Amino acid sequence: MRYDLDDLRLFLHIVTEGSITAGAHRMHLSLPSASARVRSLEHHAGVPLLIRGRRGVRPTPAGTTLARHARDVLAQTARLESAVASYTRSPTAPLVLLGGGSAMHRLVPRALVSFLRAHPDVDVTVSESRTPQTVRMLADGAADLGVVLDDETRDCGLHMEPLGDDSLVVIGQAGGILAGRTALTYSEVAEHPLIGLNADSSLRRWIERHLVPHAPVVRYRTTVANLNVLVALAAAGVGLAVVPRPVIDPDQPLEVCALQDPWARRHHLLAWGVRDHAASTAVASLAEHLRHAALFDSASGSTPADPRTRRLLHDG
C-alpha cells in the first residue's frame, strides 16, 4: 500500500487533536475535504481507523498503529531528503531561516539539530524576526524560509503551509490560583500580578496590539528578556504569565489555562521565500525538518493528552 504524506500528516493532526475539525484547521482544509481524505485512508486500509463520537474522535487499534508508523515514515522521509539535499548546496551560501520568539524557543532548535547533523556541508543563518519583517524579507528574496503567525500574513502573496499551534495560554504555579480552571479571559488574568517579557519583545507587542482601548491595566511584578526565565518565574509562584503553548515543557509542574479571547488562538505557518536558486532541494529538506519538529512537539505532549481537554483548549 502507498499512502500520501499529506494524508498521513492530516491523520496525525486529527489523532493529536482528537477532532477532525481541528485536524482540518491545522492543515488549512475544509471539514468536508478532511473527512473525505479520512474515508479514503480507511478505504485504502480496509479497516476503520477512527471511532467517531459526540465529543470527537479517537483512533481504533488499527488507527493507533497507522499513527505510530506514520510518524516513522515522515521522520524517514526527512532523513532521506536531508541525505540527498546535502549534495545540492554550496557551503559558502548559507540558508536563511527567520522566526519569532516562540518558534525560536523549541521548534527551530529541534529542527536545526536534525538538519545540521544530516547536512554537514550546508550552513544555516538563523535570526529572530517579527512576522511583518519576516514576510518582507521573504518577499524581497532575502530569506529562504520563515516561521510566521497566521494572523499577520493575510494577502502577502507568499507560499505558506500550516506548521503547528501557537495559541496563548496563561500559566502559574502548580496548585495555585489557576488550579481547577480550564479557561480565562485576559481581563480575568489581568486582575492578578503578572510576569511579562520586555516591552520591545514580539510577544508583548503582539498582545498589546490586540487589546481593546479600555482593557485593564496590568501590574507587572517584573519583566524579563526570554521565555525560559518567564516560565521559571511563573512556576515558582512569582506571578501569572501569558505564553505560547509550545514553549511549555510538558514535564514542568505548572497550571496551564487557555485564554478565551479570540486573538489568543494563533497558528504557526511555514512561509517560503521567492528566490529561485540551486539550493531549492536543501530548502525543501530544511522545511521537512521543521515540519517534523512541529509534529514531534505536538505528539510529545506540548498539547495535553486527553482529547476532551485538547478540544477545550483549542476552542478556547
Side-chain angles (χ1 to χ4, degrees), residues 23-48:
H25 182 73
R26 292 188 62 171
M27 290 291 290
H28 284 201
L29 295 172
S30 66
L31 178 58
S33 176
S35 297
R37 288 193 178 205
V38 172
R39 288 194 298 270
S40 177
L41 273 176
E42 292 181 316
H43 177 75
H44 193 56
V47 292

Side-chain angles (χ1 to χ4, degrees), residues 89-248:
R89 178 78 174 190
S90 167
T92 60
L95 301 181
V96 178
L97 171 63
L98 306 176
S102 173
M104 293 296 178
H105 187 74
R106 286 170 58 141
L107 172 63
V108 169
R110 188 183 298 280
L112 281 176
V113 167
S114 59
F115 178 82
L116 292 174
R117 284 177 174 171
H119 292 265
D121 297 324
V122 180
D123 300 330
V124 183
T125 298
V126 182
S127 298
E128 185 171 332
S129 169
R130 298 187 183 94
T131 291
Q133 180 184 0
T134 297
V135 168
R136 286 194 298 271
M137 292 183 66
L138 291 168
D140 291 342
D144 296 288
L145 291 170
V147 180
V148 297
L149 292 173
D150 56 348
D151 184 63
E152 300 180 310
T153 56
R154 295 184 178 89
D155 303 320
C156 69
L158 296 174
H159 172 67
M160 299 190 183
E161 60 182 89
L163 196 58
D165 181 65
D166 194 53
S167 294
L168 300 181
V169 295
V170 57
I171 59 174
Q173 185 178 34
I177 59 176
L178 296 181
R181 302 295 299 268
T182 58
L184 291 169
T185 65
Y186 186 80
S187 294
E188 292 175 303
V189 175
E191 294 175 359
H192 305 276
L194 299 185
I195 316 154
L197 291 179
N198 294 337
D200 62 346
S201 69
S202 57
L203 176 60
R204 177 84 171 268
R205 290 189 177 189
W206 198 93
I207 292 173
E208 292 177 351
R209 182 167 64 86
H210 286 83
L211 297 180
V212 296
H214 301 293
V217 177
V218 172
R219 175 198 168 196
Y220 284 108
R221 296 203 63 196
T222 188
T223 57
V224 296
N226 68 71
L227 288 164
N228 278 326
V229 176
L230 190 67
V231 173
L233 288 174
V238 174
L240 302 182
V242 174
V243 298
R245 181 179 297 282
V247 310
I248 301 170

